[in-house]
Amino acid sequence: MRVSLFITCLADQLYPEVGESVVRLLTRYGCEVDFPEQQTCCGQPAFNSGYQDEAREVARGLIRAFDHSDYVVSPSGSCTGMVHHYYPQLFANEPEWLLKAEQLVEKTYEFSQFLVGVLGITDVGAQFDKKVTYHPSCHAMRLLGVKEEPGALLSKVKGLELIELPKKEDCCGFGGTFAVKMADMSEAMVCEKAGNVCSTGAEVLVGTDMGCLMNIGGALNKDNKPIRVMHLAQLLEEGVKRNESDRN
């Protein structure tokens, strides 16, 4: 199975190790993974700020980058949600580009969505002896309907104690440009989210979007809370390595 990695801006610039974990896990299950170097931003910041013409130009670049891909997999429900829900809207009046956008939608998946829904894998053979709580990001949950997949993967990790996050469906307050435009409100939201994370007694916070995890992790670090923040792909890959090490 040929898969192209859609890395996203945040992962590419700040968390490349997340992309590396995704590639290693997919390769482990027989996927041939490539990385189209011409990919750039999905256009979400411009779109959310009301600059639809600019977002449309950026979207054209991303569509071109993955034109020949069989599958496109991203470690971000937010950016995947942008492609799925807003690309057809952006090109509603351009039939040729609308077709191309719809073709990209059909083959683009968030990481856990692809692992569970396409590859049919829930048990990656991981071991992770920690107390973990999971934050579901807004776009993955609401735009893509990714609700059960992360939990299905985490439930199969040996030694992992999954603790329910209070008010888990509440936004963390990041929202990209929202955190800049509505800084006070964003800070109040992330402080509440960080407090809920701490209340679980978890040692690790895991999620599927680095924007959310960066925001919540920043609030935790500010208050000197010793809670590790990880993308789901990182946790699974580290767990696989740990399990294999223990067996050897």
Coordinates of all heavy atoms in Angstrom, one line a residue, residues 101-158:
A101 N -10.3 18.4 -5.7 CA -10.4 18.5 -4.3 C -11.2 17.3 -3.7 O -10.8 16.7 -2.7 CB -11.2 19.8 -3.9
E102 N -12.2 16.9 -4.4 CA -13.0 15.7 -4.0 C -12.2 14.4 -4.0 O -12.3 13.6 -3.2 CB -14.3 15.6 -4.8 CG -15.3 16.7 -4.5 CD -16.5 16.7 -5.4 OE1 -16.4 16.1 -6.5 OE2 -17.5 17.3 -5.1
Q103 N -11.3 14.3 -5.0 CA -10.4 13.2 -5.1 C -9.4 13.1 -4.0 O -9.1 12.1 -3.4 CB -9.7 13.2 -6.5 CG -10.6 12.9 -7.7 CD -9.9 13.2 -9.0 OE1 -8.9 13.9 -9.1 NE2 -10.4 12.6 -10.1
L104 N -8.9 14.3 -3.6 CA -8.0 14.4 -2.4 C -8.8 14.0 -1.1 O -8.2 13.3 -0.3 CB -7.4 15.8 -2.3 CG -6.4 16.0 -1.1 CD1 -5.3 15.0 -1.2 CD2 -5.9 17.4 -1.1
V105 N -10.0 14.5 -1.0 CA -10.8 14.2 0.2 C -11.0 12.7 0.3 O -10.8 12.1 1.4 CB -12.2 14.8 0.1 CG1 -13.2 14.3 1.1 CG2 -12.1 16.4 0.3
E106 N -11.2 12.0 -0.8 CA -11.5 10.6 -0.7 C -10.3 9.7 -0.2 O -10.5 8.6 0.3 CB -11.9 10.1 -2.1 CG -13.3 10.6 -2.5 CD -13.7 10.2 -3.9 OE1 -12.9 9.5 -4.6 OE2 -14.8 10.6 -4.4
K107 N -9.1 10.2 -0.4 CA -7.9 9.4 -0.1 C -7.2 10.0 1.1 O -6.1 9.5 1.4 CB -7.0 9.3 -1.3 CG -6.5 10.6 -1.8 CD -5.7 10.4 -3.1 CE -5.2 11.7 -3.7 NZ -4.5 11.5 -5.0
T108 N -7.7 11.0 1.8 CA -7.0 11.6 2.9 C -7.5 11.2 4.2 O -8.8 11.3 4.5 CB -7.0 13.2 2.8 OG1 -6.4 13.5 1.5 CG2 -6.3 13.8 3.9
Y109 N -6.7 10.8 5.2 CA -7.1 10.3 6.5 C -6.2 10.8 7.6 O -5.0 11.1 7.4 CB -7.0 8.7 6.5 CG -7.8 8.0 5.6 CD1 -7.5 7.8 4.2 CD2 -9.1 7.5 6.0 CE1 -8.3 7.1 3.3 CE2 -9.9 6.8 5.1 CZ -9.5 6.6 3.8 OH -10.3 5.9 2.9
E110 N -6.8 11.0 8.7 CA -6.1 11.3 10.0 C -5.5 10.0 10.4 O -6.0 8.9 10.1 CB -7.1 11.8 11.0 CG -6.4 12.1 12.4 CD -6.4 10.9 13.3 OE1 -7.3 10.0 13.2 OE2 -5.5 10.8 14.1
F111 N -4.3 10.0 11.1 CA -3.5 8.8 11.4 C -4.3 7.7 12.0 O -4.3 6.6 11.5 CB -2.3 9.3 12.3 CG -1.6 8.1 12.9 CD1 -0.8 7.3 12.2 CD2 -1.7 7.9 14.3 CE1 -0.2 6.2 12.8 CE2 -1.1 6.8 14.9 CZ -0.3 6.0 14.1
S112 N -5.0 7.9 13.1 CA -5.7 6.9 13.8 C -6.8 6.3 13.0 O -7.2 5.1 13.0 CB -6.2 7.3 15.2 OG -7.3 8.2 15.1
Q113 N -7.5 7.2 12.2 CA -8.5 6.9 11.3 C -8.0 5.9 10.2 O -8.7 4.9 9.9 CB -9.1 8.1 10.6 CG -10.3 8.1 9.8 CD -10.7 9.4 9.2 OE1 -9.8 10.1 8.7 NE2 -11.9 9.8 9.3
F114 N -6.8 6.1 9.7 CA -6.3 5.2 8.7 C -5.8 3.9 9.3 O -6.1 2.8 8.7 CB -5.1 5.9 8.1 CG -4.4 5.1 7.0 CD1 -5.0 5.1 5.7 CD2 -3.3 4.4 7.2 CE1 -4.4 4.4 4.7 CE2 -2.7 3.7 6.1 CZ -3.3 3.7 4.9
L115 N -5.2 4.0 10.5 CA -4.7 2.8 11.1 C -5.8 1.8 11.4 O -5.8 0.6 11.1 CB -3.9 3.1 12.4 CG -2.8 2.2 12.8 CD1 -1.8 2.0 11.8 CD2 -2.2 2.7 14.1
V116 N -6.9 2.3 12.0 CA -8.0 1.5 12.4 C -9.0 1.2 11.2 O -9.4 0.0 11.0 CB -8.8 2.1 13.5 CG1 -10.0 1.3 13.9 CG2 -7.9 2.3 14.8
G117 N -9.4 2.3 10.5 CA -10.4 2.1 9.5 C -10.0 1.5 8.2 O -10.7 0.8 7.5
V118 N -8.7 1.8 7.8 CA -8.2 1.3 6.5 C -7.4 0.0 6.7 O -7.6 -1.0 6.0 CB -7.4 2.4 5.7 CG1 -6.9 1.8 4.4 CG2 -8.3 3.6 5.5
L119 N -6.4 0.1 7.6 CA -5.5 -1.0 7.8 C -6.1 -2.1 8.7 O -5.7 -3.2 8.7 CB -4.2 -0.6 8.4 CG -3.3 0.3 7.5 CD1 -2.0 0.6 8.2 CD2 -3.1 -0.3 6.1
G120 N -7.2 -1.7 9.4 CA -7.9 -2.7 10.3 C -7.0 -3.1 11.5 O -7.2 -4.2 12.0
I121 N -6.2 -2.2 12.0 CA -5.3 -2.5 13.1 C -5.7 -1.7 14.4 O -5.9 -0.5 14.3 CB -3.8 -2.1 12.8 CG1 -3.3 -3.0 11.6 CG2 -2.9 -2.2 14.0 CD1 -2.1 -2.5 11.0
T122 N -5.9 -2.4 15.5 CA -6.1 -1.7 16.8 C -5.0 -2.1 17.8 O -4.7 -1.3 18.7 CB -7.4 -2.1 17.4 OG1 -7.5 -3.5 17.5 CG2 -8.6 -1.6 16.5
D123 N -4.4 -3.3 17.6 CA -3.3 -3.7 18.5 C -2.0 -3.6 17.8 O -1.7 -4.5 16.9 CB -3.6 -5.1 19.0 CG -2.6 -5.5 20.1 OD1 -1.6 -4.8 20.3 OD2 -2.9 -6.6 20.8
V124 N -1.1 -2.7 18.1 CA 0.2 -2.5 17.4 C 1.3 -3.3 18.2 O 2.4 -3.2 17.8 CB 0.6 -1.0 17.3 CG1 -0.5 -0.3 16.4 CG2 0.8 -0.4 18.6
G125 N 0.9 -3.9 19.3 CA 1.9 -4.7 20.0 C 2.8 -3.8 20.9 O 4.0 -4.0 21.0
A126 N 2.1 -2.8 21.5 CA 2.8 -1.8 22.4 C 2.6 -2.1 23.9 O 1.6 -2.7 24.3 CB 2.3 -0.4 22.1
Q127 N 3.6 -1.7 24.6 CA 3.5 -1.7 26.1 C 3.9 -0.4 26.6 O 5.0 0.2 26.3 CB 4.5 -2.8 26.7 CG 4.4 -2.9 28.2 CD 5.1 -4.1 28.7 OE1 5.4 -5.0 28.0 NE2 5.4 -4.1 30.0
F128 N 3.1 0.2 27.5 CA 3.4 1.5 28.0 C 2.8 1.6 29.4 O 1.6 1.8 29.6 CB 2.7 2.6 27.1 CG 3.2 4.0 27.3 CD1 4.3 4.4 26.7 CD2 2.5 4.9 28.1 CE1 4.8 5.7 26.8 CE2 2.9 6.2 28.2 CZ 4.1 6.6 27.6
D129 N 3.6 1.4 30.4 CA 3.2 1.3 31.8 C 3.0 2.6 32.5 O 3.8 3.0 33.4 CB 4.2 0.4 32.6 CG 4.3 -1.0 32.0 OD1 3.3 -1.6 31.7 OD2 5.5 -1.5 31.7
K130 N 2.1 3.3 32.0 CA 1.8 4.7 32.6 C 0.3 4.9 32.7 O -0.5 4.3 32.0 CB 2.4 5.8 31.7 CG 3.9 5.7 31.5 CD 4.7 6.1 32.7 CE 6.2 6.1 32.4 NZ 6.9 6.5 33.6
K131 N 0.0 5.9 33.5 CA -1.4 6.4 33.6 C -1.6 7.5 32.5 O -0.8 8.5 32.5 CB -1.7 7.0 35.0 CG -1.7 6.0 36.1 CD -2.0 6.6 37.4 CE -2.0 5.6 38.6 NZ -2.3 6.2 39.9
V132 N -2.5 7.3 31.7 CA -2.7 8.2 30.5 C -4.1 8.8 30.4 O -5.1 8.1 30.7 CB -2.4 7.4 29.2 CG1 -2.6 8.3 28.0 CG2 -0.9 6.9 29.2
T133 N -4.2 10.0 30.0 CA -5.5 10.6 29.7 C -5.5 11.1 28.3 O -4.4 11.6 27.8 CB -5.9 11.7 30.7 OG1 -7.3 12.0 30.6 CG2 -5.1 13.0 30.6
Y134 N -6.6 11.1 27.6 CA -6.7 11.4 26.2 C -7.6 12.7 26.0 O -8.7 12.7 26.5 CB -7.3 10.3 25.4 CG -7.7 10.6 24.0 CD1 -6.7 10.9 23.0 CD2 -9.0 10.7 23.6 CE1 -7.0 11.2 21.7 CE2 -9.4 11.0 22.3 CZ -8.4 11.3 21.4 OH -8.7 11.6 20.1
H135 N -7.0 13.7 25.2 CA -7.8 14.8 24.8 C -8.2 14.7 23.4 O -7.4 14.7 22.5 CB -6.9 16.1 25.0 CG -7.5 17.3 24.3 ND1 -8.7 17.9 24.7 CD2 -7.1 18.0 23.2 CE1 -8.9 18.9 23.9 NE2 -8.0 19.0 23.0
P136 N -9.5 14.7 23.1 CA -10.0 14.6 21.7 C -10.1 16.0 21.1 O -10.7 16.9 21.7 CB -11.4 14.0 21.9 CG -11.9 14.4 23.2 CD -10.6 14.5 24.1
S137 N -9.3 16.2 20.1 CA -9.3 17.6 19.4 C -10.7 17.8 18.8 O -11.3 16.9 18.3 CB -8.2 17.7 18.5 OG -8.4 16.8 17.4
C138 N -11.1 19.1 18.7 CA -12.4 19.5 18.2 C -12.5 19.1 16.7 O -13.6 18.5 16.4 CB -12.5 21.0 18.3 SG -12.6 21.6 20.0
H139 N -11.6 19.4 15.9 CA -11.7 19.1 14.4 C -11.8 17.6 14.1 O -12.6 17.1 13.3 CB -10.6 19.8 13.6 CG -10.9 21.3 13.5 ND1 -9.9 22.1 12.9 CD2 -11.9 22.0 13.9 CE1 -10.4 23.3 13.0 NE2 -11.6 23.3 13.5
A140 N -10.9 16.8 14.8 CA -10.9 15.4 14.6 C -12.3 14.8 15.0 O -12.8 14.0 14.3 CB -9.8 14.7 15.3
M141 N -12.7 15.2 16.1 CA -14.0 14.7 16.7 C -15.2 15.2 16.0 O -16.1 14.4 15.6 CB -14.1 15.1 18.2 CG -15.3 14.6 18.9 SD -15.2 14.9 20.7 CE -14.9 16.7 20.7
R142 N -15.3 16.5 15.7 CA -16.5 17.1 15.2 C -16.5 17.1 13.6 O -17.6 16.9 13.0 CB -16.7 18.5 15.7 CG -16.9 18.5 17.2 CD -17.2 19.9 17.8 NE -17.5 19.8 19.2 CZ -16.7 19.8 20.2 NH1 -15.4 19.9 20.0 NH2 -17.1 19.8 21.5
L143 N -15.4 17.4 13.0 CA -15.4 17.5 11.5 C -15.2 16.1 10.9 O -15.9 15.8 9.9 CB -14.3 18.4 11.1 CG -14.5 19.9 11.3 CD1 -13.4 20.7 10.7 CD2 -15.8 20.4 10.8
L144 N -14.4 15.3 11.5 CA -14.0 14.0 10.9 C -14.8 12.8 11.5 O -14.9 11.8 10.9 CB -12.5 13.7 11.0 CG -11.6 14.6 10.2 CD1 -10.2 14.2 10.4 CD2 -11.9 14.5 8.7
G145 N -15.4 13.0 12.7 CA -16.0 11.9 13.4 C -15.1 10.9 13.9 O -15.4 9.8 14.2
V146 N -13.8 11.3 14.2 CA -12.8 10.4 14.8 C -13.1 10.4 16.3 O -12.6 11.3 17.0 CB -11.4 10.9 14.5 CG1 -10.4 10.0 15.2 CG2 -11.2 10.8 13.0
K147 N -13.8 9.5 16.8 CA -14.2 9.4 18.2 C -13.7 8.1 18.9 O -13.1 8.1 20.0 CB -15.7 9.5 18.4 CG -16.2 10.8 17.9 CD -17.8 10.9 18.1 CE -18.3 12.2 17.6 NZ -19.8 12.3 17.8
E148 N -13.9 7.0 18.2 CA -13.6 5.7 18.8 C -12.1 5.2 18.5 O -11.6 4.4 19.2 CB -14.5 4.6 18.3 CG -16.0 5.0 18.5 CD -16.4 5.2 19.9 OE1 -15.8 4.5 20.8 OE2 -17.3 6.0 20.2
E149 N -11.6 5.6 17.4 CA -10.3 5.1 16.9 C -9.1 5.3 17.9 O -8.4 4.3 18.2 CB -9.9 5.7 15.5 CG -10.8 5.3 14.4 CD -12.0 6.2 14.2 OE1 -12.3 6.9 15.2 OE2 -12.6 6.3 13.1
P150 N -8.9 6.5 18.4 CA -7.8 6.6 19.4 C -8.0 5.7 20.6 O -7.0 5.1 21.1 CB -7.8 8.1 19.7 CG -8.4 8.7 18.5 CD -9.5 7.8 18.1
G151 N -9.2 5.7 21.1 CA -9.5 4.8 22.3 C -9.3 3.4 22.0 O -8.8 2.6 22.9
A152 N -9.6 2.9 20.8 CA -9.5 1.5 20.4 C -8.0 1.2 20.4 O -7.6 0.1 20.8 CB -10.1 1.3 19.0
L153 N -7.1 2.1 19.9 CA -5.7 1.8 19.9 C -5.1 1.8 21.3 O -4.3 1.0 21.6 CB -5.0 2.9 19.0 CG -5.3 2.8 17.5 CD1 -5.0 4.1 16.8 CD2 -4.5 1.6 16.9
L154 N -5.5 2.8 22.1 CA -5.0 2.9 23.5 C -5.4 1.7 24.3 O -4.6 1.3 25.2 CB -5.4 4.2 24.1 CG -4.8 5.5 23.5 CD1 -5.5 6.7 24.0 CD2 -3.3 5.6 23.8
S155 N -6.6 1.2 24.1 CA -7.1 0.1 24.9 C -6.3 -1.2 24.8 O -6.4 -2.0 25.6 CB -8.6 -0.1 24.6 OG -8.8 -0.7 23.3
K156 N -5.6 -1.3 23.7 CA -4.8 -2.5 23.4 C -3.4 -2.4 23.8 O -2.6 -3.4 23.7 CB -4.9 -2.8 21.9 CG -6.3 -3.0 21.3 CD -6.9 -4.3 21.8 CE -8.2 -4.6 21.1 NZ -8.8 -5.9 21.6
V157 N -3.0 -1.3 24.4 CA -1.6 -1.1 24.8 C -1.4 -1.7 26.2 O -2.1 -1.3 27.2 CB -1.2 0.4 24.9 CG1 0.2 0.6 25.4 CG2 -1.4 1.0 23.5
K158 N -0.6 -2.7 26.3 CA -0.4 -3.4 27.5 C 0.2 -2.5 28.6 O 1.1 -1.7 28.3 CB 0.6 -4.6 27.3 CG 0.0 -5.7 26.5 CD 0.9 -6.9 26.5 CE 2.2 -6.6 25.7 NZ 3.0 -7.9 25.5

